[in-house]
Amino acid sequence: MHPYIASLGPCLFPSPLRHIGGVEAPYKTDADRVLFEHRATGQTVESEPWSFEEAGPREKIYFDPPRTTVGIVTCGGLCPGLNDIIRGIVNQCHHQYGITKVVGFRYGYEGLVQRYGHTPVTLRPASVAQAHNFGGTLLGSSRGAQDIGAMVDTLEDMKIDILFVIGGDGTLRGAAEIVKEIARRGLQKSVVGIPKTIDNDIMYLDKSFGFETAFAEAVQAVKCAYIESTGAVNGVGLVKLMGRDSGFIACFAALAGSNVDFVLIPEVPFALSGPSGLLETLRYRLAKRGNAVIVVSEGAGQDLMSGVSGTDASGNQRYGDVGLFLKDQINGFFKERSIEVNLKYIDPSYIVRSVPANAQDNVYCSRLAQGAVHAAVAGKTGMLVGRWHGSFVNLPLELVTQGRRKVHPSGELWHSVLESTGQPAHFG
Ligand code: F6P
């Protein structure tokens, strides 16, 4: 079964995109596909290979631009590139499709529930012209689910035809619920997601926007940790990075920063004690080299800590601070053995995600925004736009929110980390 993208109905309006700067628009049809599997392993392919619908402009569109109103909402934690996406949608709507009624809902899904009193803002190209130069989101954000009926009431009251939802897996599951309620009421409204998470943990995407900026920023912290570790006897630089359940930022920052001795991620459990536990291995490394750098994802080693329970507003389990925990454990271990250690702890978490997008992410965000608008005006709904094997694709919301993308403990990325750090495959 190929992932199916729902549609509001036949596209009857000619796309105003016909020519861009005198060049024929690169129209796609739903029959243009991007293969899921790009590797062949020698066996005969008996059935038609699984594929995704290619994103891009359609020759005919569903919505009549002068009579179309667009809404945008950003949800969840901050991520570099949010403002680029907002700006990209506004510009694409105005300049390419002639859709001039674009509103931004404030503070995530709260902005779609009238009792919060967050007044929506009108968005125009002039008001977003400089947005990409700043981190964060000009609309504000919030975590957590809201009443689906109340949100669809607002869409009805404000005559919103297209809603762009920018957020992570919880947000996208909310978007799927909005789609169902719209269908239940028999309304003709499109909901299109743009997946957001600096943790890079969304399935069926090459990478999520803002990830490159985030780990590039994290590299600075890793480099500083190395410098600090070289400045004292038995220096240890310890860096904690975001990554609740997926250690991509830690892996990439360690690979890019080099000079990292240990990377600890949620996907690979580790033991602290014992002859081949992290602490003894660290002692050996210090005895051999005189300094060490450890990069740890926030979700790593949670089984070693106790006393943290409950969930945050997004429903994510609350985690203990593994950075502070490791700092105490390492200091205690060396103190007990009367070995001098000089540990410097760096936690750049919010710096890493609140910076403006870098040039690579600027481009990526613009293209995602363009793809999202192309899909929405064509009446596609219940989908998000992503990139797969370098091509932009339309993906059903349900497919992508089935699970979380993780670093595979026997995959190539983790092997690269092991090769780069020289750390053992297992501690303990
Ligand atoms: O969006 C995911 C994330 O970056 C996680 O890595 C992290 O646990 C979370 O956001 C923290 O966000 P906040 O402190 O805003 O809830």
Side-chain angles (χ1 to χ4, degrees), residues 76-79 143 196-199 201 241-245 249 298 312 314 316 319 350 353:
L78 297 186
C79 176
R143 282 196 182 279
K196 173 234 66 167
T197 153
I198 58 160
D199 293 358
D201 58 359
L241 296 172
M242 279 191 176
R244 283 187 54 79
D245 301 300
I249 298 182
E298 63 176 323
D312 69 11
S314 296
N316 299 315
Y319 283 166
Y350 291 103
R353 75 175 197 184

Side-chain angles (χ1 to χ4, degrees), residues 131-150:
H132 61 304
N133 294 322
F134 300 93
T137 160
L138 64 94
L139 296 176
S141 188
S142 65
R143 282 196 182 279
Q146 295 295 338
D147 183 81
I148 300 294

Side-chain angles (χ1 to χ4, degrees), residues 79-259:
C79 176
L82 282 165
N83 281 333
D84 298 64
I85 298 276
I86 298 168
R87 181 178 185 270
I89 292 172
V90 173
N91 285 338
Q92 185 75 358
C93 285
H94 273 254
H95 298 314
Q96 303 306 331
Y97 284 100
I99 300 171
T100 55
K101 284 174 276 174
V102 184
V103 296
F105 292 101
R106 308 293 320 277
Y107 304 112
Y109 280 148
E110 282 185 16
L112 278 154
V113 178
Q114 288 168 26
R115 72 178 165 80
Y116 284 100
H118 302 314
T119 311
V121 289
T122 299
L123 297 170
R124 295 199 179 86
S127 59
V128 297
Q130 292 297 321
H132 61 304
N133 294 322
F134 300 93
T137 160
L138 64 94
L139 296 176
S141 188
S142 65
R143 282 196 182 279
Q146 295 295 338
D147 183 81
I148 300 294
M151 292 198 280
V152 178
D153 288 346
T154 303
L155 297 180
E156 281 206 70
D157 290 352
M158 293 183 64
K159 299 188 173 18
I160 301 290
D161 300 295
I162 297 171
L163 179 67
F164 291 105
V165 178
I166 309 162
D169 57 344
T171 303
L172 298 172
R173 271 193 289 275
E177 292 303 314
I178 294 174
V179 173
K180 280 187 202 152
E181 179 60 15
I182 287 171
R184 197 189 64 78
R185 295 188 191 188
L187 304 172
Q188 301 297 299
K189 298 182 187 302
S190 159
V191 178
V192 169
I194 296 115
K196 173 234 66 167
T197 153
I198 58 160
D199 293 358
N200 200 26
D201 58 359
I202 296 186
M203 293 169 79
Y204 302 110
L205 295 185
D206 285 351
K207 61 169 183 177
S208 51
F209 75 80
F211 171 68
E212 275 195 19
T213 305
F215 89 75
E217 200 63 28
V219 170
Q220 303 308 320
V222 171
K223 287 183 174 170
C224 292
Y226 172 71
I227 298 297
E228 287 289 346
S229 78
T230 59
V233 170
N234 283 344
V236 176
L238 171 62
V239 183
K240 185 187 78 169
L241 296 172
M242 279 191 176
R244 283 187 54 79
D245 301 300
S246 306
F248 288 103
I249 298 182
C251 289
F252 276 81
L255 285 171
S258 296
N259 296 322

